[in-house]
Amino acid sequence: RRVREGSKSHPFIYFKLPSLVSTELHYAFLSNKEVPTNLPHKLDKQELSAVLTGSSLTHLKSKKAEKNANLSNIICLQSKNNQTVDFIAPGRTEYINWIEGLRVFTGHQMEEPETAAELQKLVEIETQVKLLDLAGVTIPDEMPPIPPPPSHFDFCTADTTENEEGANEL
């Protein structure tokens, strides 16, 4: 979707949260997909009135939008003065990452089942680490030293040997 800034139209907008404790999103309008070095615009989270998805996207409910297969992957940021910025995620994974990140940024709870499953996995791993500690397994507080690199990188594995032999037979 093209984004308008005054009289200019841009096919892309790049958003970035500068730090985990930041209260504003920095962004830039782009004409290509290159990552910008300068993000001149800022959007404070106090200016956001809503993060809209799914059936709450009333401004996109047209015949053209209904035909769009990515309608379920659209996220809309709405400001207090009713300006909107629409994001179309390329897939379900990106959609979940974006919407959950925006929910946390705006102080809301994460809601997606995939996020709950990931959080459950992290809790299970933490529990397993604590059980190892209770069993007397010493878990170092610091990372072990990184060994020096090998003297050469001419590695040969069974998989690569089989692939090379198969290629030579052709």
Side-chain angles (χ1 to χ4, degrees), residues 119-131:
L119 287 173
Q120 182 61 36
K121 286 178 191 175
L122 289 172
V123 169
E124 289 172 6
I125 291 170
E126 182 181 14
T127 303
Q128 290 173 354
V129 169
K130 286 182 180 181
L131 287 173

Side-chain angles (χ1 to χ4, degrees), residues 15-153:
F15 273 86
K16 182 179 180 180
L17 184 64
S19 71
L20 292 176
V21 294
S22 180
T23 61
E24 49 190 30
L25 290 168
H26 293 234
Y27 64 98
F29 296 100
L30 308 170
S31 57
N32 56 35
K33 289 186 179 183
E34 291 181 19
V35 176
T37 56
N38 183 21
L39 300 173
H41 306 286
K42 296 177 185 179
L43 177 64
D44 193 279
K45 75 176 171 181
Q46 301 301 323
E47 295 175 27
L48 290 176
S49 65
V51 177
L52 306 172
T53 61
S55 61
S56 28
L57 298 170
T58 55
H59 67 287
L60 294 178
K61 297 242 174 167
S62 67
K63 291 180 183 179
K64 185 176 181 182
E66 289 172 4
K67 292 178 185 177
N68 188 348
N70 291 331
L71 188 58
S72 62
N73 291 343
I74 295 178
I75 302 167
C76 176
L77 295 180
Q78 186 176 35
S79 68
K80 289 183 179 177
N81 60 0
N82 287 331
Q83 291 182 328
T84 62
V85 176
D86 302 319
F87 297 87
I88 302 175
R92 177 79 180 154
T93 302
E94 292 86 355
Y95 170 81
I96 291 168
N97 291 338
W98 293 357
I99 191 65
E100 296 293 45
L102 287 167
R103 284 179 180 147
V104 170
F105 176 71
T106 57
H108 294 90
Q109 292 291 319
M110 293 184 278
E111 301 173 4
E112 299 297 326
E114 293 88 345
T115 305
E118 286 183 23
L119 287 173
Q120 182 61 36
K121 286 178 191 175
L122 289 172
V123 169
E124 289 172 6
I125 291 170
E126 182 181 14
T127 303
Q128 290 173 354
V129 169
K130 286 182 180 181
L131 287 173
L132 285 173
D133 193 33
L134 289 174
V137 176
T138 305
I139 300 171
D141 291 332
E142 297 178 16
M143 277 183 35
I146 298 173
S151 58
H152 63 83
F153 292 93

